[in-house]
Amino acid sequence: MGEFLRFENITKRYGQNTVLDNVTLEIQAGEVFSLLGPSGCGKTTLLRICGGFEPPDEGRVILDGVDITNVPANRRAVRTVFQNYALFPHLSVWENIAFGLKATGQDAKTILEKVPKYLELVQLTGYENRKPGQLSGGQRQRVAIARALINRPKVLLLDEPLAALDLKLRQRMLIELDTIHDDVGITFLFVTHDQQEAMSISDHIAVLRNGRVEQIGTPTELYEAPRTSFVAAFIGDTNFFEGTVETIEGDYCTLNIDGFPEIQLFNDKKVHRGEKIHVSIRPEKFFISAVRPEVTDAKTNLLHGKVEEVIYVGPHTRYWVRVQDWRVSVVQQHHGYGLDERRIKWDDEVWLRFGADNAYMLEHYAEVDEQLLALPDLEPEELEAVVEGGTQEVGSAE
Amino acid sequence: MKSRLRNISNWIIGAPSFVWLVVFYAIPIVLVFLLAFKPVDAYGGLGEGWTLKTILDLRNPSYPAIIWRTFWQGIVSTTVCVAVAIPISYQLARMNSRWKNVILLLIIVPFWTNFLVRIYAWRVFLHADGIFKNLLVAIGLIEESTTLLYNQWAVLVVMIYTYIPFAILPIYASAEKFDFSLIDAAKDLGASSFYAFRRVFLPVISKGIWTAVMVVLIPAFGAYLIPDLVGGPSSELVGDKIAQRVFIDRNLPHASALSALLMLAVFLPMLLGKWLNHMRRRRQTREGRT
């Protein structure tokens, strides 16, 4: 299937502030597409433009081949699940779900037929007489979803739909959303600042920052092949290294990182000798061991360092290993009880092994993005401040 | 034990307002109803014993017209006040807070001027030689001989003018708390602006609207200064009659009977409305939906 929903060169300004800067996105029919980014990146504004609540200053929105840029909200085949759900407090669950049918003038028979079906879809049969005030957060959200889906929209917009729920419920609702999506087959446009949410539900993700698209791709592409240091740091955790290209042999090159032995690296960016580049290596791509492993393969790199910190979190253990001037974050999955890694403690000398294909070259690197990396002592608000501060600095550097 | 203590402290906290209500509200109302059954003596005092004479006197042939006028003027002024107050409140609630405060201030400022002074201002304004009259004549909208003052239309206009702030304030208080994302949600679901306004905004702020209706309707029914000052003999309201019976005829029982009639006229429909609402809600729960 071809593109279904298309944002074409969307620009939106509030006064001096450019919220969206020439954003172009293509969304396929029936997929879950996420707009992911820190607060203030413009993702909600883009959603509101799609819903028809705000006009773009420039650009077009094309849905199913029709330019809907100037179509008012109530005439668009687009429905929204709002962040606070915006349920009608004076109406019962039944009336909330039936609202869209009544507002568009459908007859009583259709309403009587459809509402129970959608109550069932969101598992709220038996709750039809409750008022929104008598429902839990998860139930309210399900009402909002049923209400939005009942008119069979072409696109369902979800604005941080899980943000108001607690962690366990969020995980359950995420699975439920995925099930509902499979049931109805409607295109979902999902806005979130939570990379895990986006990763687990999306077919494609657009990472937005500062009103611009940083990268578009499948969750795997974004995670394994981040284009910039921002994407690498915002999605998951990683290590950044700066080095100079020494030699190039076929598809691989060797990289000289200060204090490291020579590193073998897959040369997907076609870099040249002497070029300074940044690479990202995910923590779980390292294998840690207390004894020096036998390396027979030329495409395997080996580092030697000292453990600075060990954090055991059940399924895996996180280590911070000092290798010369670098502090390398390593995550080791526990596949069995009492394996080698359990014996690694503070101040132990360890060996880190990683394959040449697991270090990824970045197109763009900004030092501020390092602040996005998992720092054990950063509160969420502080992290947000870092993100916003970071965007500004990057803006001025460009 | 704890709940009993809380009960006692609740009583202590509630006692002053309870006493206040009994002394200044319940007792006077009971007195008004009782007085209606007392005879009058020759000097304007109260006679001995009880009588139904006053109640029967209410069949005075001049009364039906006055009562009818009181009702329709009260209902028309209430309707106009609320109808004007709703869009004003809607806009006020959506405004940014600086302008909002300025406009609220403008609405409240007239209260700082004495009520009588404001009515006299209207007399000057509508007077036969007043600017408004001359303006209308100049435009050619009315004849030189038309009088704007001393008729029921003048009474109605001044009543609406007087009561509009009372309608705006409670409706605004409700509208201010209204979550305007609900309007977005309604439009998102395919509703037109008008549908969203009627089916979402109005029901959600209905408490404020009913408060406004009560706050305007009750004084409008009892109005007597306004018809007295800008109305003529043909635009008397029940309030005027009550005042006449007290001050001129010195017939307190008759005045009480009229007052009691007004009170019942407001109270009974309210009760009926409450009951109907209650029945509707019960039916809804039984049917399971609307």
Side-chain angles (χ1 to χ4, degrees):
Chain A
M1 260 189 263
E3 75 192 43
F4 182 65
L5 174 63
R6 182 179 165 83
F7 295 98
E8 217 173 78
N9 309 101
I10 300 280
T11 295
K12 179 80 188 173
R13 298 180 200 91
Y14 292 115
Q16 291 293 307
N17 194 5
T18 303
V19 185
L20 291 170
D21 189 3
N22 201 15
V23 170
T24 297
L25 292 176
E26 286 166 15
I27 294 153
Q28 313 292 315
E31 74 169 334
V32 178
F33 192 100
S34 288
L35 301 173
L36 173 66
S39 62
C41 72
K43 56 190 190 299
T44 298
T45 309
L46 193 60
L47 192 86
R48 289 181 62 79
I49 286 171
C50 186
F53 305 115
E54 271 167 61
D57 292 327
E58 284 159 38
R60 304 193 298 165
V61 183
I62 293 156
L63 176 61
D64 209 2
V66 182
D67 184 343
I68 60 163
T69 317
N70 298 315
V71 177
N74 54 352
R75 303 251 178 75
R76 292 188 184 196
V78 171
R79 297 285 180 260
T80 310
V81 175
F82 292 86
Q83 187 170 3
N84 64 354
Y85 313 141
L87 298 181
F88 304 122
H90 61 297
L91 299 179
S92 64
V93 168
W94 175 283
E95 292 164 320
N96 263 286
I97 294 176
F99 189 92
L101 297 174
K102 283 189 191 167
T104 50
Q106 314 224 14
D107 55 51
K109 200 175 139 256
T110 319
I111 293 173
L112 268 172
E113 216 172 280
K114 278 186 140 182
V115 176
K117 264 206 276 187
Y118 281 83
L119 274 166
E120 202 188 314
L121 177 76
V122 296
Q123 299 168 35
L124 280 176
T125 312
Y127 289 87
E128 41 272 74
N129 293 324
R130 301 267 187 102
K131 291 278 171 71
Q134 299 166 298
L135 299 176
S136 69
Q139 290 167 339
R140 263 181 243 175
Q141 192 202 32
R142 281 186 265 171
V143 175
I145 292 169
R147 183 179 75 170
L149 284 174
I150 200 160
N151 269 351
R152 300 286 311 176
K154 288 180 175 168
V155 179
L156 184 71
L157 309 178
L158 300 117
D159 185 6
E160 301 260 6
L162 307 175
L165 307 176
D166 58 54
L167 184 65
K168 279 272 180 232
L169 197 55
R170 212 180 307 163
Q171 289 168 345
R172 264 189 44 200
M173 283 310 299
L174 203 58
I175 298 167
E176 225 166 278
L177 265 179
D178 208 21
T179 315
I180 291 171
H181 177 256
D182 291 346
D183 281 356
V184 296
I186 287 170
T187 310
F188 278 25
L189 184 58
F190 189 91
V191 158
T192 182
H193 68 277
D194 185 317
Q195 42 103 5
Q196 274 187 8
E197 269 174 37
M199 295 283 278
S200 38
I201 198 170
S202 314
D203 297 307
H204 287 96
I205 300 173
V207 180
L208 289 164
R209 179 203 210 179
N210 214 11
R212 290 185 199 181
V213 178
E214 193 90 359
Q215 187 171 358
I216 304 172
T218 63
T220 317
E221 280 167 3
L222 292 180
Y223 188 76
E224 301 294 351
R227 210 173 56 79
T228 65
S229 56
F230 176 77
V231 175
F234 192 73
I235 295 177
D237 195 16
T238 195
N239 295 285
F240 293 123
F241 301 102
E242 189 190 13
T244 318
V245 180
E246 289 275 294
T247 57
I248 299 171
E249 292 165 31
D251 284 340
Y252 291 84
C253 63
T254 54
L255 193 62
N256 184 10
I257 298 171
D258 214 16
F260 277 25
E262 215 156 66
I263 298 296
Q264 291 285 324
L265 191 59
F266 183 63
N267 183 11
D268 76 314
K269 298 288 190 301
K270 305 291 169 235
V271 292
H272 309 293
R273 270 191 70 178
E275 209 173 310
K276 265 202 167 186
I277 58 165
H278 285 88
V279 295
S280 153
I281 309 174
R282 299 287 185 188
E284 76 282 1
K285 300 293 194 286
F286 291 101
F287 293 90
I288 192 168
S289 55
V291 289
R292 185 186 174 122
E294 296 263 327
V295 176
T296 49
D297 179 7
K299 300 287 172 277
T300 300
N301 300 298
L302 198 58
L303 303 176
H304 185 241
K306 197 172 174 189
V307 174
E308 279 196 341
E309 186 89 66
V310 183
I311 298 175
Y312 174 75
V313 284
H316 61 260
T317 300
R318 178 179 284 274
Y319 305 90
W320 272 277
V321 180
R322 172 66 57 185
V323 181
Q324 302 291 341
D325 287 342
W326 307 89
R327 200 187 190 205
V328 184
S329 161
V330 177
V331 165
Q332 196 75 51
Q333 193 76 33
H334 303 312
H335 294 292
Y337 176 74
L339 290 181
D340 175 62
E341 65 265 19
R342 275 181 55 89
R343 292 200 297 274
I344 296 171
K345 297 187 295 294
W346 267 27
D347 288 343
D348 281 0
E349 305 262 320
V350 290
W351 296 89
L352 300 177
R353 181 165 54 92
F354 68 98
D357 296 312
N358 285 324
Y360 193 78
M361 293 182 192
L362 300 171
E363 269 175 48
H364 174 88
Y365 169 85
E367 203 183 330
V368 289
D369 295 332
E370 302 237 1
Q371 292 175 309
L372 285 167
L373 298 176
L375 303 174
D377 44 16
L378 216 55
E379 294 291 312
E381 299 88 42
E382 289 180 275
L383 187 67
E384 209 153 87
V386 167
V387 169
E388 276 160 23
T391 45
Q392 273 163 15
E393 275 181 54
V394 168
S396 60
E398 276 169 356
Chain B
M1 197 58 212
K2 211 169 176 183
S3 77
R4 250 180 81 185
L5 258 177
R6 193 184 294 152
N7 254 334
I8 293 168
S9 67
N10 277 349
W11 267 103
I12 294 170
I13 292 165
S17 21
F18 181 73
V19 171
W20 177 277
L21 273 176
V22 169
V23 172
F24 295 105
Y25 184 76
I27 293 176
I29 284 182
V30 171
L31 280 180
V32 165
F33 276 90
L34 286 180
L35 274 180
F37 297 97
K38 292 296 271 185
V40 206
D41 70 13
Y43 307 104
L46 296 176
E48 292 287 310
W50 301 92
T51 173
L52 278 176
K53 183 177 172 300
T54 328
I55 304 293
L56 297 173
D57 279 351
L58 288 181
R59 289 179 307 181
N60 184 324
S62 72
Y63 279 3
I66 292 176
I67 289 172
W68 170 240
R69 196 181 303 125
T70 307
F71 269 76
W72 82 254
Q73 290 224 341
I75 284 161
V76 168
S77 55
T78 306
T79 312
V80 173
C81 283
V82 170
V84 171
I86 289 171
I88 288 178
S89 308
Y90 182 86
Q91 290 303 332
L92 263 178
R94 298 206 90 162
M95 264 176 205
N96 70 45
S97 63
R98 224 183 76 220
W99 278 108
K100 198 189 291 192
N101 290 336
V102 169
I103 292 181
L104 275 177
L105 191 72
L106 287 178
I107 290 168
I108 295 166
V109 149
F111 286 112
W112 297 350
T113 316
N114 185 288
F115 179 47
L116 270 176
V117 173
R118 280 185 285 142
I119 299 181
Y120 271 96
W122 271 99
R123 276 167 66 114
V124 174
F125 190 61
L126 296 175
H127 194 267
D129 297 324
I131 40 165
F132 191 57
K133 165 81 185 292
N134 288 334
L135 191 73
L136 290 184
V137 173
I139 299 171
L141 275 178
I142 56 168
E143 302 283 314
E144 183 63 52
S145 59
T146 320
T147 50
L148 294 178
L149 211 47
Y150 308 123
N151 60 42
Q152 59 187 14
W153 302 109
V155 175
L156 199 60
V157 166
V158 177
M159 265 165 80
I160 290 167
Y161 156 80
T162 308
Y163 297 131
I164 271 187
F166 294 103
I168 291 176
L169 293 178
I171 295 178
Y172 166 72
S174 283
E176 222 248 321
K177 278 181 257 150
F178 181 77
D179 173 8
F180 279 93
S181 70
L182 294 180
I183 297 285
D184 274 351
K187 285 190 189 166
D188 183 73
L189 294 167
S192 64
S193 297
F194 180 67
Y195 190 94
F197 179 80
R198 194 165 56 99
R199 288 299 165 95
V200 178
F201 181 72
L202 287 187
V204 172
I205 64 151
S206 64
K207 261 213 169 106
I209 295 177
W210 285 115
T211 310
V213 167
M214 285 299 137
V215 164
V216 176
L217 194 65
I218 292 168
F221 275 167
Y224 103 91
L225 259 181
I226 296 169
D228 203 46
L229 292 175
V230 298
S234 64
S235 51
E236 274 184 324
L237 302 182
V238 176
D240 294 292
K241 279 286 163 227
I242 296 173
Q244 273 174 30
R245 297 293 173 243
V246 177
F247 296 126
I248 299 167
D249 308 352
R250 298 194 53 75
N251 188 338
L252 270 184
H254 199 117
S256 296
L258 277 175
S259 301
L261 188 74
L262 262 186
M263 264 189 266
L264 289 177
V266 176
F267 189 63
L268 289 181
M270 241 171 82
L271 223 59
L272 186 74
K274 270 240 151 85
W275 182 73
L276 282 177
N277 208 359
H278 175 75
M279 292 310 280
R280 193 173 58 98
R281 211 158 279 165
R282 263 182 49 181
R283 206 173 51 237
Q284 260 178 33
T285 343
R286 217 172 318 124
E287 282 173 11
R289 64 187 71 119
T290 42

